[in-house]
Amino acid sequence: MSKAKAQGGTPATVALTRAKAAFTLHPYEHDAAAQAYGEEAADALGVPYERIFKTLVAEVESGLAVAVVPVAGKLDLKALAAALGGKRAAMADAAKVERVTGYVVGGISPLGQRKALPTVVDSSALEFDTIYFSAGKRGLQIETAPANLVALTRAVTAPIGKR
C-alpha cells in the first residue's frame, strides 16, 4: 500500500504520488445539500470558476469517456465526440459512472479511476499554471499543473467547454 493511501489518500492522490507529480490538496467543508459541486468548491476555496474543473463522464460511440471542463461553463457533447473521433455523445447514467470509476458523483476525479477511460481535457486548462479538480471525494480538491493531469490520464486537449 502506498504511503498516500495509508495516510487516507484517494486513488487520485496515490496516482499523483506514484508519478512524483507536484500537487497540493485543498480540503473544504462540503455541504450535503449542495448540488453544484464544482461551484461549491470554487466558492469555498476562493478560486475563480475558470480554474476549477469538473469531471464528467459521457457515452460516446466507443463506450464511456471522461470530459474535464471548467465549472464556469458546460460540456459541449458534440465537441467531446469530435475530439474522440466520433459524432455523438450523451451524458452517462450516474449509477454506471459510479460503478465504472469507483467514485461517487460530486467526487469523481479524472485520476485513479477503476478503469482507464479515454479522457479529453478542455484546452482552457493549458492557460493556467495550475488547475483544481476533484481529489476523489466531495470536499477535497487537487491543485496541480494541467500537464500532470494530461500526462497521467493520457488525455487529449480540445475546446470541449462552452460558456
Side-chain angles (χ1 to χ4, degrees), residues 1-160:
M1 186 178 325
S2 79
K3 186 176 172 184
K5 190 72 174 170
Q7 294 176 348
T10 67
T13 61
V14 169
L16 284 161
T17 302
R18 272 196 197 126
K20 296 180 174 45
F23 69 96
T24 305
L25 287 177
H26 296 277
Y28 62 93
E29 194 64 40
H30 167 63
D31 177 358
Q35 296 200 349
Y37 303 108
E39 288 87 342
E40 176 194 29
D43 293 342
L45 298 173
V47 175
Y49 285 15
E50 293 78 16
R51 281 190 63 203
I52 301 247
F53 285 71
K54 55 189 170 185
T55 305
L56 303 171
V57 180
E59 295 266 3
V60 294
E61 286 101 337
S62 58
L64 292 178
V66 174
V68 183
V69 295
V71 301
K74 298 196 179 301
L75 171 61
D76 181 337
L77 288 164
K78 193 168 186 138
L80 172 65
L84 295 170
K87 294 183 190 291
R88 286 183 288 286
M91 294 306 297
D93 172 69
K96 182 177 184 180
V97 169
E98 289 182 349
R99 202 171 45 254
V100 171
T101 64
Y103 292 120
V104 298
V105 170
I108 297 174
S109 180
L111 295 174
Q113 296 181 3
R114 279 190 187 139
K115 180 181 180 196
L117 298 172
T119 302
V120 181
V121 175
D122 185 70
S123 52
S124 70
L126 304 177
E127 297 169 11
F128 302 103
D129 292 334
T130 61
I131 58 170
Y132 295 69
F133 54 88
S134 177
K137 62 183 182 180
R138 296 172 186 157
L140 188 62
Q141 292 281 306
I142 288 171
E143 178 185 4
T144 193
N148 290 333
L149 175 61
V150 170
L152 292 174
T153 59
R154 296 186 181 94
V156 296
T157 57
I160 59 168

